[in-house]
Amino acid sequence: MAKLYFRYGAMNSGKSTALLQAAFNYEERGQRVFLAKPGIDSKGADEIVSRLGVTRTVDVLIGAEDSVRSLFHTASRGEASLIPEVPLAEVACLLVDEAQFLSPSQVDDLLRIAVLDDVPVLAYGIRTDFQTRAFPGAGRLLEIAHTLEELKTICRCGRKAVFNGRRIGESFIFDGDQVAIDGESVTYESLCAACYLRESGGTLIPAAATRPDSTEQ
């Protein structure tokens, strides 16, 4: 039986780079991989973009209401599905970038692909938002993934970064929508707990903030 893996880390911990390296490793051995990411991640449109400048087009974008397993079954067959006499190459691995943006039910589909379809699933993402709240997809992955692996990065002070600070210009902000993909004014910085608390005035989750039920805003 294949497994569902969740490889997580703070911003700039090299998640997309690690995913692309995993894809390269499979393909170097003549195996077929399938790449996907949530459509809500507008960064790079239909591409996975590494901080090192490496990019790769995904095989499918996952919509908010899509069944990931159905998408995988259909899209992984490609044009060959129209030619029944042509044997299909087996998919050695499903790689999912920005998995925190998936819904809990879509994460459940990743487990079904691993267990019922016997295809290993490697999901990459971050655990929490800029207010230290778990993304719904990440929370579900932490609950059901067979294997959890932390990808580490460092804070400005040299300690291990675990939180994601949101900045507008030179100032950190601690309120707003959970999902705000990198834009002209919003950036993110990985922080250790001490630096996060220093910037937030000792607050983890603002009292006015409510825990969202989904990534939709």
Side-chain angles (χ1 to χ4, degrees):
M1 181 186 71
K3 294 182 179 180
L4 169 60
Y5 300 81
F6 183 34
R7 296 176 175 174
Y8 64 89
M11 299 286 290
N12 302 324
S13 58
K15 297 178 296 298
S16 296
T17 300
L19 183 154
L20 294 174
Q21 181 66 55
F24 176 83
N25 291 344
Y26 273 99
E27 292 174 334
E28 189 178 37
R29 291 160 177 77
Q31 297 180 310
R32 183 185 178 204
V33 297
F34 191 82
L35 276 64
K37 76 170 189 175
I40 192 174
D41 176 27
S42 60
K43 181 177 63 178
D46 61 349
E47 292 182 325
I48 294 174
V49 181
S50 147
R51 292 175 62 227
L52 300 182
V54 180
T55 64
R56 175 164 171 169
T57 302
V58 298
D59 295 289
V60 68
L61 290 173
I62 303 169
E65 303 301 323
D66 288 339
S67 161
V68 178
R69 192 177 182 212
S70 294
L71 274 180
F72 174 70
H73 283 183
T74 300
S76 62
R77 292 175 61 88
E79 294 181 0
S81 64
L82 304 177
I83 312 173
E85 64 273 17
V86 176
L88 299 178
E90 293 185 1
V91 175
C93 184
L94 169 61
L95 298 154
V96 183
D97 198 28
E98 304 292 356
Q100 72 273 7
F101 293 138
L102 298 176
S103 69
S105 63
Q106 289 173 329
V107 172
D108 290 350
D109 263 352
L110 297 184
L111 182 68
R112 294 185 185 100
I113 292 169
V115 175
L116 301 181
D117 300 324
D118 200 27
V119 175
V121 179
L122 278 60
Y124 295 77
I126 59 179
R127 290 183 303 171
T128 58
D129 64 15
F130 70 109
Q131 294 177 325
T132 71
R133 301 177 303 186
F135 284 95
R140 188 61 175 151
L141 280 161
L142 290 169
E143 292 172 338
I144 68 172
H146 293 92
T147 300
L148 303 173
E149 178 183 343
E150 184 178 15
L151 304 177
K152 299 178 177 62
T153 190
I154 60 172
C155 176
R156 57 171 76 162
C157 67
R159 299 186 184 96
K160 186 179 80 168
V162 292
F163 296 129
N164 304 297
R166 180 182 288 179
R167 300 174 63 161
I168 295 182
E170 297 301 316
S171 301
F172 284 93
I173 61 171
F174 297 92
D175 57 5
D177 292 340
Q178 183 176 52
V179 177
I181 305 299
D182 294 346
E184 293 182 356
S185 59
V186 175
T187 58
Y188 293 89
E189 181 179 347
S190 304
L191 300 170
C192 70
C195 288
Y196 184 94
L197 290 170
R198 185 178 302 114
E199 295 291 345
S200 68
T203 300
L204 286 175
I205 300 179
T210 57
R211 189 173 297 275
D213 294 325
S214 71
T215 58
E216 297 180 358
Q217 302 296 327

